[in-house]
Amino acid sequence: AALALLPPGHRKRLASLAANTFAGLQLGKVVDAQIEELLLAGPDPGALAEYMTAIGYAGIAHIVLAHRQYAVRMIARVREIEAMVGADVYITLGHSHYWQLRFLEMLGDDTYAVGQHARLAATFNERAGNRRMLAVTWASLGECLRRMGPSAPAEPIFRQATQLAREVGEPISWSFVQQYLATYLAEQGSEAAWAEADGLALQAIELAGDGQVYRALALIARALVALGRGALDSADRHVREARERLKSLQLRAYHPHVDCAFLRVQLARGDLEAAELAAGEAEALLESHGPLGVTELPLRLWIVRAWLARGRQLDARRSVSAALEALELRARRVPEGQLRDDFYARVPEHAALLEH
């Protein structure tokens, strides 16, 4: 309705374009012409913060859709705007580093750089008093830390992010942040962690309302809880619903996350045919849309295990080779020393790939 009233060039049209694109993502309706208008806009020098916010919210839709051609252009525009502002324009700088970390988290091949951008985004958002963005930044930092190695304490960061999101009280960011903690706890292997994770995931679903993406992400956490408890029928039901929702919305950058959980559940259930089919689809996605961020390597591990479970030794060896190449590329980007050693060999999924 706002877009119908606001003419091109109006200061508030950019915010309306961004809101429409971001909301459309949840409903499977993303209009490419809107991101083109945003990318080509020449914002007023006094409205750079608004423009950075708008282009980021519109751009995240194309990041999670794995529309790399638009996502890359969006990140380039973000960097252009960042170069136009001073070192004390904290709100704009906070947004800039957040959108860059989200691009790398979902579509990149440099886990270490995710953490670097997350730390900068957190610093600037905290200085700006932008508590909503600080909460989502901390959540991504926690996700990066848990992918870097055992010496990186992810859980306190996840809890810090969740507490802040609760205080802010905005349902979408609260649900988004909380599913990170729920998924982390779901994989910790204790009844206390599973009980907390399931409660967090149920609350995230309630907070999400009509937000299909956030419901699906919370359902993945519920599936992992059920898997840990050995409730395989429940795990299957949750992960299938999550997978159907994310795939119907064509959110390809989230497919590694849900496909990894799906493969784990099907292999536990002994449904090797479903696992084989999903492994083939996942590998095709990696070939056509990769790299796919911090969840790519765990997915590659479970693809290998699916091939092995079906007795497809040649495919397993080929997949291991591709996975190790991806691991080594990421490891080379981590500074030498204990951090690189931990990343290469002490992250559980990485250690498992090296054993294969």
Side-chain angles (χ1 to χ4, degrees), residues 24-184:
L25 169 68
Q26 310 296 325
L27 304 171
K29 302 174 183 178
V30 175
V31 181
D32 289 349
Q34 293 179 352
I35 193 72
E36 285 288 353
E37 183 176 343
L38 275 165
L39 284 166
L40 296 174
D44 185 280
L48 292 181
E50 285 188 345
Y51 182 62
M52 180 72 85
T53 303
I55 200 169
Y57 277 113
I60 194 64
H62 293 278
I63 288 174
V64 298
L65 287 163
H67 286 173
R68 193 175 294 274
Q69 70 275 23
Y70 284 119
V72 168
R73 289 174 62 197
M74 182 274 288
I75 289 298
R77 192 71 171 120
V78 161
R79 289 171 178 157
E80 287 176 5
I81 299 303
E82 180 185 336
M84 295 167 64
V85 302
D88 58 348
V89 186
Y90 300 136
I91 191 165
T92 305
L93 295 171
H95 272 278
S96 174
H97 287 285
Y98 179 73
W99 301 126
Q100 290 180 72
L101 86 84
R102 287 292 285 157
F103 174 83
L104 291 168
E105 185 182 351
M106 306 301 291
L107 296 181
D109 54 10
D110 190 342
T111 309
Y112 180 74
V114 176
Q116 298 301 98
H117 281 294
R119 289 181 177 88
L120 286 168
T123 296
F124 290 126
N125 283 318
E126 192 162 20
R127 290 176 182 173
N130 193 343
R131 299 166 75 238
R132 180 183 185 279
M133 291 302 293
L134 181 57
V136 296
T137 298
W138 278 341
S140 286
L141 176 58
E143 183 67 9
C144 174
L145 289 174
R146 86 181 186 104
R147 306 292 180 184
M148 287 299 298
S151 61
E155 185 173 341
I157 301 296
F158 283 135
R159 292 194 179 280
Q160 186 174 290
T162 300
Q163 180 58 40
L164 181 57
R166 286 174 182 162
E167 292 172 7
V168 172
E170 191 278 303
I172 293 298
S173 56
W174 185 357
S175 176
F176 176 67
V177 168
Q178 193 152 292
Q179 60 82 24
Y180 274 103
L181 176 58
T183 302
Y184 173 82

Side-chain angles (χ1 to χ4, degrees), residues 5 11 15 51 73 108-109 140 195 233-234 255 338:
L5 295 171
R11 179 170 176 168
Y51 182 62
R73 289 174 62 197
D109 54 10
S140 286
D233 287 344
S234 293
H255 289 187
Q338 188 62 49

